[in-house]
Amino acid sequence: MKPLPNPGKTTPLSRLIEGRIIELGLSEKTFLADLGYRNFSKGRERLLQFRKAKGLRGLKHLENQLAEALKVDVSTVQKAISETWVTAQLWEDEKYAASFEPHAVLKTDRTRPSQITMCALTGGPQRWLVVEFERDSAPVTYVSQVLRDLPEIAPFFGKVLGFWINYTPSSCVEFDRSGQAVAEFSRAKRVGVALAGG
């Protein structure tokens, strides 16, 4: 089998598949055909997604075929998939931390938008729920910045009950509508995070 590109970061699922294909002496086309792929390029793209901890949604129906094609127990495949979800979360956290800027997130009475498609087309949760702070402003001004323009209603998400301020990726404080702190968290409140779905 010709090695897949980008030998750097990989996932437990990708390592299991690639390792077993080599050990069994399978061609990539044979392996993908065993999984039910008739379109080789589509199947190969799925394998490449596994390296990036993507394409994991809807994998339940492939667990048995993967186990048969790789000649391993289903539990081995399930473990690799589970560990890959953990990897996806870690990579997402690293990416989030690398680009982090302090910001606020509105707390609303609905956690999911009322009209998912329209919400997505108009900017999604990032547009309607996230409050960016003025550049180079001091943390002591964050609450007053949010309160200055705090809406009664957030489009698609309903009544605004309060807000969270993410000071760092590992420091978040929840405030009520009057700006009183009500809880502290060791993890930032995030919106619109979809893991491993691509």
Side-chain angles (χ1 to χ4, degrees):
M1 177 186 101
K2 196 162 108 180
L4 291 165
N6 182 19
K9 284 195 335 187
T10 62
T11 64
L13 179 59
S14 183
R15 287 192 295 274
L16 172 66
I17 292 170
E18 292 168 31
R20 289 298 291 163
I21 287 175
I22 291 168
E23 286 171 20
L24 296 168
L26 296 174
S27 74
E28 199 173 66
K29 282 189 176 180
T30 300
F31 171 70
L32 291 171
D34 288 346
L35 289 183
Y37 283 99
R38 298 293 166 252
N39 182 325
F40 175 71
S41 59
K42 261 189 160 177
R44 187 169 170 82
E45 180 57 35
R46 191 81 185 268
L47 293 182
L48 290 170
Q49 284 186 327
F50 293 159
R51 278 183 159 263
K52 301 172 190 172
K54 295 185 183 296
L56 302 177
R57 296 194 191 284
L59 255 188
K60 190 79 180 156
H61 75 285
L62 272 183
E63 287 177 358
N64 289 327
Q65 289 103 308
L66 276 168
E68 284 179 32
L70 297 173
K71 296 184 173 32
V72 296
D73 292 335
V74 174
S75 62
T76 300
V77 172
Q78 291 169 334
K79 182 174 185 260
I81 292 171
S82 176
E83 289 173 351
T84 299
W85 276 104
V86 172
T87 299
Q89 181 65 61
L90 290 172
W91 289 356
E92 181 61 34
D93 289 349
E94 286 173 8
K95 182 178 167 188
Y96 179 75
S99 62
F100 181 85
E101 293 287 340
H103 60 279
V105 176
L106 301 181
K107 180 180 181 180
T108 55
D109 62 357
R110 280 198 299 271
T111 56
R112 294 181 180 272
S114 57
Q115 299 172 12
I116 294 172
T117 303
M118 284 305 297
C119 179
L121 290 172
T122 58
Q126 190 68 28
R127 176 180 178 193
W128 301 112
L129 299 179
V130 174
V131 178
E132 304 291 342
F133 297 127
E134 295 165 5
R135 184 176 290 281
D136 298 324
S137 58
V140 294
T141 68
Y142 293 167
V143 172
S144 60
Q145 287 184 56
V146 178
L147 290 175
R148 184 177 59 214
D149 297 313
L150 188 65
E152 291 288 330
I153 302 286
F156 307 108
F157 292 92
K159 186 176 177 183
V160 176
L161 308 173
F163 54 94
W164 295 274
I165 293 181
N166 293 324
Y167 290 95
T168 71
S170 58
S171 175
C172 172
V173 178
E174 182 181 343
F175 296 86
D176 64 19
R177 281 195 61 86
S178 68
Q180 295 298 308
V182 295
E184 290 186 34
F185 304 94
S186 60
R187 194 172 168 85
K189 176 67 176 175
R190 292 159 67 177
V191 298
V193 177
L195 293 175

